[in-house]
Amino acid sequence: FYVIKKITGKNDLDKYIYYNDKDKKLRFETGNGNDGIFNNIFEREKWYSYIKQMDEIQKISTKKARKEKLKQIKKKAKEESINIYEKDGELYIEGIKNEVKQRENAKATFYNTAFFFYQVIKKFDSEKIEEFTNYILYKIHFNRIICSTKADGLEMFQVVNDRGLELSTSDIIKTYLLKEAPKGKQKAFEDDYGVIKKNLEEADVSLDEFFVVFLYYLTNKNPKRGVIKEVRKIITSNDFNEILDKLTNLSERIKKISNENDWRINCLRNLPWKQYIWAILLCERDYGYKNLDEINSAIIRYYYLNWISGATINTIKTFSFKLMGDLKKGDMNIVNNIDKELKEKGVVYTDIESGHDTFKDNNGVFLKTSNKIGLESYIKSLLMLIEYARREETIKDTNVDIKTNVYIDVNKKEVQLEHILPQKYKTNLKDWKNWKDGDNYINRLGNLTLLKDEKNLAASNKGLSEKIEIYKKEKDSYFKITKDISEKYKEKQWRKEDIDNRTNKFIELLEKQLNVKLRKNENIKKKRNE
């Protein structure tokens, strides 16, 4: 409707959308509560503004001017998670799915669908467009089906839905819960479900994630028939009130854990395997371990070293479920079991020459000449691990409270990776004149830090002195590793040896956090040879 409205100029389309003579209009409502995203794209006409700009570019005669204008628009569009590209002389637009959170993929879907219809309809001549529009407006009928309960409505949707956004896992499971609710208790269930939802929002856990955590926590094993079927089986084979109490209690416990603001838990929450992590955190609290800090440090060690070594979900799945079971039973050898697993799987080995547990760096990211750690998916989480270590260090040395344990979700857009020596330093050789051969240093650990989104955009390709002014604005030491730069290099240059020294310092902090040597001790061999 929006595409037709813009192409035809028919601004009175709304009058055709009704279901009785009193003009009680049908309302458009998206799945998964994506109304806000839809309205932002369509009612504010963001999608069409980009299409108009693309049409204008097509009219530019010179290739150079056209290319420059396209570059400007593409940069702006990328901030909206839109990709504009050229193919066979034509411009295309698409939503970038991998640049938005999974729950926001609707944004990409909406953009892609709108542009698809625009491309198709735009190819019609005026007569065909009129014919098509009249067919849509006068020949299509809405059938209004009234369901007596919300459960029936959701079940009906599952049956008839053939296109568009799918029902989410939580929508489907909610259907089963509603159907099992005792007669007259559905309103009470809605209230309890609202409490569960609020608890999870405060813990920054989605409902979809929550039901997976619920299943993992209850069973300690991989679901054979898929999450939805397994949860449905649990719901239908148990007392409804008992299941509802378990769900509510679990959501409250997750909220409580998130409010602890323990740096170890915060680091675990920044891992990509969140459903496993939350289930593990819940299981370990069932027994009430006195050495919880030691256990969580070992868990951090296991998952981060696996992540850095390139482990997939299949690599860590079996041990994760075993860990859940062992924690529930009160196994006192958890730390040793984790250490044993890392060594048996070859992630860690005991270096014969030094006697230290050493990380098997298969990807070479910790080699002294490595220039690729900044390209790895885990880099922001790793920098956050370093950040917590620096905060602990600062408190120990100065007794200054810098909000050591506050949780920072590095996967959110507001946290950005900052390259101190910019990636495009060659476009600003006036400020980076000593860096004509800096390509081998850009993605080294010591050249990287964290910034809030708007500050990262401001820092961009600026020189060190201008960057430092931006870094200094990090209120209440939001990132200590960034403030360190502004304090130490205020009147100095940023040199290769500074990156090397900072890299070494960061690796030392990581080795302390992960209780492992990340670089093989080369000095022992050197001394022996001497």
Side-chain angles (χ1 to χ4, degrees):
F1 275 117
Y2 273 108
V3 172
I4 291 171
K5 183 176 178 178
K6 293 310 296 183
I7 289 177
T8 64
K10 285 182 181 282
N11 291 318
D12 59 346
L13 285 179
D14 289 349
K15 76 180 184 182
Y16 296 102
I17 307 173
Y18 62 89
Y19 62 78
N20 64 22
D21 293 335
K22 293 181 181 177
D23 200 27
K24 290 184 180 177
K25 294 177 183 176
L26 291 172
R27 289 185 58 221
F28 177 84
E29 190 173 306
T30 74
N32 302 332
N34 287 315
D35 297 70
I37 297 172
F38 184 90
N39 293 338
N40 192 42
I41 291 170
F42 292 97
E43 290 191 358
R44 297 179 192 174
E45 297 189 343
K46 287 192 173 185
W47 74 279
Y48 196 66
S49 69
Y50 284 108
I51 284 174
K52 276 169 62 181
Q53 291 176 72
M54 286 160 62
D55 285 344
E56 290 300 315
I57 288 174
Q58 301 276 27
K59 296 174 186 176
I60 298 174
S61 55
T62 64
K63 190 175 180 181
K64 187 178 178 182
R66 174 190 167 104
K67 188 177 179 181
E68 185 58 36
K69 186 67 178 174
L70 179 59
K71 185 180 176 182
Q72 293 171 11
I73 294 172
K74 283 174 74 173
K75 185 179 178 183
K76 176 71 177 170
K78 195 170 183 182
E79 294 171 18
E80 289 286 334
S81 298
I82 303 166
N83 180 34
I84 294 174
Y85 63 98
E86 195 166 8
K87 184 179 178 183
D88 300 328
E90 294 287 328
L91 287 174
Y92 295 88
I93 181 173
E94 65 181 1
I96 309 173
K97 289 190 177 182
N98 62 354
E99 292 211 358
V100 290
K101 273 193 170 183
Q102 192 165 355
R103 71 184 80 167
E104 293 175 357
N105 272 353
K107 183 188 286 187
T109 303
F110 289 147
Y111 273 119
N112 295 345
T113 308
F115 190 61
F116 170 80
F117 280 122
Y118 178 80
Q119 284 177 298
V120 173
I121 299 169
K122 196 72 175 173
K123 290 175 183 175
F124 297 168
D125 57 34
S126 57
E127 187 178 329
K128 185 75 174 175
I129 291 176
E130 185 72 20
E131 182 186 336
F132 178 71
T133 303
N134 287 336
Y135 184 88
I136 293 287
L137 296 176
Y138 299 111
K139 299 293 184 182
I140 288 178
H141 298 270
F142 288 100
N143 288 324
R144 185 170 182 241
I145 303 167
I146 300 173
C147 298
S148 58
T149 68
K150 186 171 281 192
D152 291 339
L154 287 167
E155 190 165 32
M156 173 68 73
F157 185 81
Q158 286 180 60
V159 174
V160 301
N161 184 40
D162 186 44
R163 292 289 185 270
L165 293 171
E166 297 290 331
L167 278 175
S168 65
T169 298
S170 54
D171 284 334
I172 295 168
I173 292 172
K174 186 181 178 184
T175 306
Y176 301 141
L177 286 165
L178 276 162
K179 286 182 75 174
E180 294 298 316
K183 194 173 181 181
K185 296 289 185 181
Q186 288 193 336
K187 174 65 174 70
F189 164 75
E190 288 284 2
D191 293 340
D192 289 337
Y193 197 79
V195 171
I196 292 169
K197 193 174 178 181
K198 190 171 185 298
N199 288 337
L200 297 174
E201 282 172 356
E202 289 185 32
D204 198 23
V205 175
S206 73
L207 278 164
D208 283 0
E209 287 172 335
F210 173 66
F211 284 113
V212 178
V213 172
F214 170 71
L215 179 62
Y216 289 177
Y217 168 73
L218 282 188
T219 63
N220 306 332
K221 61 184 180 183
N222 194 37
K224 292 179 180 178
R225 302 183 302 161
V227 172
I228 292 172
K229 287 182 179 179
E230 293 286 355
V231 173
R232 182 184 188 182
K233 183 182 175 183
I234 292 169
I235 291 168
T236 54
S237 57
N238 287 277
D239 178 72
F240 173 80
N241 291 321
E242 198 177 298
I243 290 296
L244 189 57
D245 285 345
K246 278 185 180 178
L247 289 168
T248 306
N249 177 260
L250 213 62
S251 72
E252 286 169 353
R253 289 174 66 191
I254 287 173
K255 176 185 167 183
K256 187 179 178 182
I257 292 170
S258 73
N259 288 336
E260 288 177 16
N261 265 332
D262 182 295
W263 71 265
R264 297 169 188 84
I265 293 170
N266 295 342
C267 286
L268 289 170
R269 291 173 68 187
N270 278 329
L271 286 161
W273 307 297
K274 289 187 179 181
Q275 292 96 324
Y276 294 93
I277 296 303
W278 277 113
I280 286 166
L281 291 171
L282 289 163
C283 288
E284 69 183 17
R285 279 157 173 74
D286 278 357
Y287 185 79
Y289 289 92
K290 290 182 180 178
N291 62 331
L292 209 53
D293 287 352
E294 185 186 357
I295 289 171
N296 282 334
S297 293
I299 293 171
I300 284 174
R301 186 175 188 246
Y302 173 77
Y303 284 100
Y304 271 84
L305 290 179
N306 266 292
W307 196 12
I308 297 165
S309 68
T312 63
I313 197 161
N314 289 326
T315 311
I316 57 98
K317 187 186 291 183
T318 303
F319 185 75
S320 295
F321 287 120
K322 181 182 182 302
L323 185 56
M324 290 173 209
D326 290 346
L327 286 164
K328 273 190 172 182
K329 288 186 293 186
D331 191 329
M332 301 310 293
N333 294 310
I334 296 294
V335 176
N336 289 336
N337 291 345
I338 289 173
D339 184 60
K340 184 180 176 184
E341 176 72 11
L342 285 169
K343 287 176 180 173
E344 284 183 357
K345 291 293 187 289
V347 179
V348 169
Y349 66 95
T350 302
D351 183 51
I352 297 171
E353 292 176 331
S354 66
H356 293 303
D357 280 0
T358 306
F359 174 63
K360 192 172 183 180
D361 190 5
N362 291 324
N363 298 322
V365 292
F366 293 111
L367 293 174
K368 288 190 176 180
T369 55
S370 176
N371 184 41
K372 55 186 175 182
I373 200 166
L375 303 171
E376 300 290 346
S377 62
Y378 52 76
I379 183 57
K380 289 200 289 184
S381 294
L382 206 63
L383 285 170
M384 202 61 226
L385 196 58
I386 295 166
E387 170 71 13
Y388 284 122
R390 274 296 291 127
R391 292 180 183 204
E392 290 278 349
E393 231 179 26
T394 304
I395 286 178
K396 189 177 177 183
D397 294 343
T398 64
N399 293 319
V400 175
D401 182 8
I402 54 168
K403 298 183 179 179
T404 315
N405 299 327
V406 68
Y407 175 55
I408 299 169
D409 185 351
V410 296
N411 298 306
K412 287 192 173 176
K413 193 177 178 182
E414 68 180 48
V415 179
Q416 294 288 314
L417 182 67
E418 158 75 350
H419 295 75
I420 302 165
L421 170 68
Q423 295 179 85
K424 296 182 180 178
Y425 70 94
K426 288 178 182 175
T427 63
N428 184 15
L429 286 176
K430 177 175 70 72
D431 288 317
W432 300 99
K433 56 188 175 184
N434 297 323
W435 282 99
K436 290 178 183 177
D437 58 343
D439 289 359
N440 289 327
Y441 281 81
I442 288 170
N443 283 299
R444 292 195 187 186
L445 188 58
N447 190 51
L448 308 171
T449 193
L450 296 170
L451 278 178
K452 291 180 185 175
D453 183 37
E454 66 273 13
K455 290 188 174 68
N456 184 270
L457 292 171
S460 190
N461 289 330
K462 289 181 168 49
L464 183 65
S465 58
E466 290 176 278
K467 278 177 175 277
I468 282 174
E469 290 304 309
I470 294 165
Y471 297 168
K472 280 164 65 179
K473 293 174 184 176
E474 290 283 281
K475 291 181 181 178
D476 59 34
S477 305
Y478 197 78
F479 292 113
K480 183 73 180 81
I481 57 173
T482 303
K483 194 175 181 186
D484 286 344
I485 298 291
S486 65
E487 291 173 347
K488 189 172 181 181
Y489 294 94
K490 190 175 181 181
E491 306 297 334
K492 297 181 180 179
Q493 296 292 318
W494 186 240
R495 303 163 303 171
K496 292 174 183 177
E497 51 263 48
D498 295 319
I499 293 177
D500 289 336
N501 291 336
R502 193 165 177 261
T503 298
N504 292 334
K505 171 66 176 174
F506 278 6
I507 286 175
E508 284 175 17
L509 291 172
L510 283 173
E511 287 177 336
K512 181 183 174 184
Q513 298 285 62
L514 299 172
N515 191 26
V516 70
K517 286 289 178 184
L518 296 172
R519 284 180 179 169
K520 191 173 179 180
N521 196 333
E522 296 170 3
N523 293 327
I524 292 176
K525 193 172 183 179
K526 186 179 176 184
K527 284 179 181 178
R528 282 185 178 177
N529 289 337
E530 287 171 354

